Amino acid sequence: MPPGVLNDLNRNGIQCIASVTLLQRFPYHRNHHTIPTMDQNRPTVGGVTAEVLKAVVSEALLGKFTAVFPKLFKCQWKTYEGQKKFYANFSTDCTDSNSNNMSRKFCVGGNWKMNGDQKSIAEIAKTLSSAALDPNTEVVIGCPAIYLMYARNLLPCELGLAGQNAYKVAKGAFTGEISPAMLKDIGADWVILGHSERRAIFGESDALIAEKAEHALAEGLKVIACIGETLEEREAGKTNEVVARQMCAYAQKIKDWKNVVVAYEPVWAIGTGQTATPDQAQEVHAFLRQWLSDNISKEVSASLRIQYGGSVTAANAKELAKKPDIDGFLVGGASLKPEFVDIINARQ
């Protein structure tokens, strides 16, 4: 290693280690006879001269590495095992140590559904990156599978990333399906399961959804487990019966609830512009809290977060967020708009 680099290493510690590692990853000397020395009179970035840094960036661009280039020194990229090890010493742990405590940290999910392209995702990511987001709110973005890696590279690292669906086994002859292992491999740490659209349009049963949740948790993903009644079921007075049945299916498969968030989404309020009043939403959330206490444990009842989903907007988020058993939102269309920032900050 050149003496200049060693000197900078001794002076700058970890910052220069990262710079040296970059030089090793994109060796300048492979295409040039000499490595530019670290002249004290030349401007440097992290101990690397502008000339060397330019060469590193040029090689990265030529290799089209930007498609999966991680956010250096901000968070650990989770796509490839080699990159995990490479960045382990320079990463900032983006997991929240308080997410499983009894205070039930507010959690807001944005479910983009089958919407978005590279241009619009870049705009959303720019909005979220530049906004002052409530640090006491955990944020999870549910992105179409084909754009998960692209979104992970653009979104702030403290935001979680979720697949919108996953199958109940690790691999096999299941054309068109995606496994939890695949989601993890490209940087997702959450998955949304049991959404009413999966139930109603694609015919997924309570039992299948519960099996999916069980496998996703076993594979290390966190799960947003959706439940909710239709308009006909609500008008028939069957809301509690329906959500209890759906919760029972989950409970038969889930033994450890610490990585689960339940999303109560009245189907009649999803994408319709209709929203359950704060009192209506609180009533169901309180019922679910009691159900958990009676059927799982008081500890799970006290700690499990229950989101409300159903035409949540910036206009109604603050009132909904005031209710004692509403621990966040699962947001559809509004998560594609700038007002999503106001929903994230509903408790401020």
Side-chain angles (χ1 to χ4, degrees):
M1 186 180 295
V5 175
L6 287 174
N7 291 337
D8 280 0
L9 175 60
N10 293 330
R11 283 194 299 272
N12 300 323
I14 190 67
Q15 186 177 18
C16 192
I17 292 174
S19 303
V20 172
T21 312
L22 276 173
L23 287 172
Q24 292 171 339
R25 192 169 180 86
F26 299 102
Y28 189 86
H29 65 278
R30 289 182 183 174
N31 299 316
H32 299 267
H33 295 298
T34 60
I35 300 177
T37 58
M38 303 299 174
D39 190 332
Q40 297 300 312
N41 296 320
R42 301 165 76 180
T44 67
V45 178
V48 180
T49 65
E51 185 178 355
V52 173
L53 188 60
K54 181 179 179 181
V56 170
V57 172
S58 296
E59 289 197 25
L61 290 172
L62 289 173
K64 297 182 180 179
F65 190 62
T66 51
V68 292
F69 200 79
K71 297 183 175 185
L72 291 173
F73 317 123
K74 288 188 177 180
C75 72
Q76 181 174 330
W77 181 241
K78 303 174 182 178
T79 302
Y80 304 109
E81 289 299 323
Q83 290 177 357
K84 283 185 184 180
K85 295 175 183 177
F86 182 72
Y87 291 107
N89 293 330
F90 314 122
S91 65
T92 299
D93 187 3
C94 294
T95 60
D96 174 60
S97 61
N98 297 317
S99 62
N100 295 322
N101 68 18
M102 302 300 284
S103 65
R104 301 207 306 261
K105 184 173 184 177
F106 209 64
C107 182
V108 175
N111 180 11
W112 292 351
K113 305 188 181 183
M114 196 175 72
N115 293 295
D117 52 27
Q118 292 187 63
K119 180 180 178 181
S120 63
I121 290 172
E123 291 172 353
I124 294 170
K126 182 178 179 180
T127 297
L128 293 173
S129 297
S130 61
L133 304 180
D134 185 351
N136 296 313
T137 294
E138 184 173 12
V139 182
V140 181
I141 301 298
C143 176
I146 196 170
Y147 293 120
L148 279 166
M149 184 181 289
Y150 180 73
R152 178 69 284 170
N153 280 294
L154 295 177
L155 291 167
C157 74
E158 62 270 19
L159 272 58
L161 188 69
Q164 296 178 8
N165 186 36
Y167 197 50
K168 64 179 181 179
V169 296
K171 58 184 178 180
F174 305 102
T175 302
E177 289 293 338
I178 298 171
S179 72
M182 292 174 178
L183 292 177
K184 286 186 64 180
D185 189 46
I186 58 171
D189 40 11
W190 289 80
V191 63
I192 301 170
L193 296 173
H195 193 279
S196 65
E197 291 155 4
R198 298 301 311 177
R199 296 176 187 266
I201 299 173
F202 300 100
E204 294 187 2
S205 66
D206 293 347
L208 173 60
I209 292 163
E211 288 175 335
K212 287 183 172 187
E214 178 185 32
H215 180 63
L217 291 167
E219 289 290 300
L221 287 180
K222 290 175 274 190
V223 171
I224 296 178
C226 301
I227 60 173
E229 83 283 11
T230 65
L231 179 59
E232 293 76 18
E233 289 165 337
R234 169 166 279 273
E235 290 178 341
K238 294 182 178 180
T239 294
N240 290 353
E241 176 186 335
V242 171
V243 297
R245 185 199 75 222
Q246 294 167 338
M247 286 299 299
C248 187
Y250 284 124
Q252 289 176 0
K253 296 296 183 180
I254 298 174
K255 305 307 176 187
D256 186 346
W257 292 81
K258 70 177 181 292
N259 287 323
V260 178
V261 171
V262 169
Y264 165 62
E265 297 191 299
V267 180
W268 49 272
I270 299 174
T272 64
Q274 300 183 61
T275 308
T277 67
D279 288 339
Q280 286 175 320
Q282 167 59 25
E283 182 180 6
V284 179
H285 282 235
F287 169 80
L288 289 167
R289 192 80 61 198
Q290 187 60 50
W291 187 94
L292 289 164
S293 180
D294 295 341
N295 294 276
I296 309 298
S297 72
K298 291 182 179 178
E299 291 74 21
V300 170
S301 175
S303 62
L304 184 70
R305 292 175 290 178
I306 305 175
Q307 298 173 318
Y308 170 76
S311 297
V312 177
T313 66
N316 58 35
K318 284 189 175 294
E319 287 302 312
L320 288 163
K322 291 177 182 178
K323 294 300 181 180
D325 290 301
I326 295 179
D327 306 314
F329 307 117
L330 184 56
V331 185
S335 67
L336 297 163
K337 304 173 184 177
E339 68 174 298
F340 187 50
V341 171
D342 296 323
I343 297 172
I344 292 171
N345 295 335
R347 276 199 170 174
Q348 284 188 328

